[in-house]
Amino acid sequence: MSTQNSSAENSTTSLVNNVDELVINWHITEACNYNCCYCFAKWGKPNELHCSLPEIETFLDNLSEYFIKGSPPLKNELGYESVRLNFAGGEPMMLGSTFFIALMLAKQKGFKTSIITNGHYLINGHLDLPKNVLDMVGISFDSQYLSTRKKIGRVDRKGNSLSVEDLKTALGNLVSTQKGIKTKINTVVNIHNCDEDFSELITVLKPYKWKVLQAMPYGDDELLISRKKFDNFVAAHSGMGLPIFAESNSTMTESYLMIDPKGRFYQNSSKGAGYEYSEGINLCGVENALAQIEFNPIAFSSRYRKVDVDVDVVES
Ligand code: SF4
């Protein structure tokens, strides 16, 4: 897959690895029905793009024109053939029919689509997900025990939480309504679940991927575990044929092309803590917005490759 080139004048090109798919993570909302202690999906005042359907359509047109129909530097550098729009949050499914419309529009405009969800509304939603609008789903699931999910905060205000049975039902429904969907389970390993055995559950569920992540130091530091504990968790689930993909803190670099709920690109600030934001993509266009966060396709592509193209965000 990678393009090796030994000539000096092409040394820039040699830094870049080709990938099949570009993933754009759109944090469509900050709202969430759960309250996980480690959650880093926290923004300021809600003034979110999804409040206006015309704004959503313009936004998707802008992204499609630039990344799919256009020839941006990133396309030349990475050689991607498709673009997947990954809806993250907060909890995207809290937006109900607005979210479904955004998904359908994204499909119409040529994107592959995916969602990172806590799964709650796959079981408790008032509306059914339309057929064949999702190519991939990542369901966050941190514990088979309600008591542990409560400690983590993975419950709503009424104390409801996605159970093992709910998870099985949700995955079964998705497989039957979304043709060819790839299913992922995301588990954030923290102080409350690091000794839990998931092997039987993952064997039964047979997801395409089980992504396990070390809790990041964004929220409640009391949930954090050492690298050694994380490695022990991974080792305890290895050698059993499980589709486990582990990301420790050190590999979870800012390898994502990220858009916030207001429709702005953002990235970690080069000046230290916090984020840097572009203007709204609908205000200034994709190219200008990318330039405002000093986006560097070459640096991006090398980080992109490092995490093996699995660059969806995982909160929810
Ligand atoms: S981690 Fe996900 S489910 Fe938990 S509060 Fe954050 S967005 Fe909601």
Side-chain angles (χ1 to χ4, degrees), residues 32-36 38-41 89-91 118 140 154 315-316:
C32 187
N33 54 321
Y34 286 180
N35 189 26
C36 304
Y38 56 70
C39 183
F40 58 91
E91 173 50 52
N118 60 36
S140 305
R154 193 160 275 287
E315 69 269 36
S316 210

Side-chain angles (χ1 to χ4, degrees), residues 27 122 265 292:
H27 292 261
L122 289 170
F265 287 113
Q292 288 169 12

Side-chain angles (χ1 to χ4, degrees), residues 148-167:
T148 305
R149 296 197 298 273
K150 278 185 174 165
K151 282 185 203 157
I152 295 170
R154 193 160 275 287
V155 288
D156 71 8
R157 274 184 288 183
K158 293 181 186 159
N160 298 318
S161 175
L162 195 79
S163 66
V164 168
E165 284 312 309
D166 290 340
L167 178 62

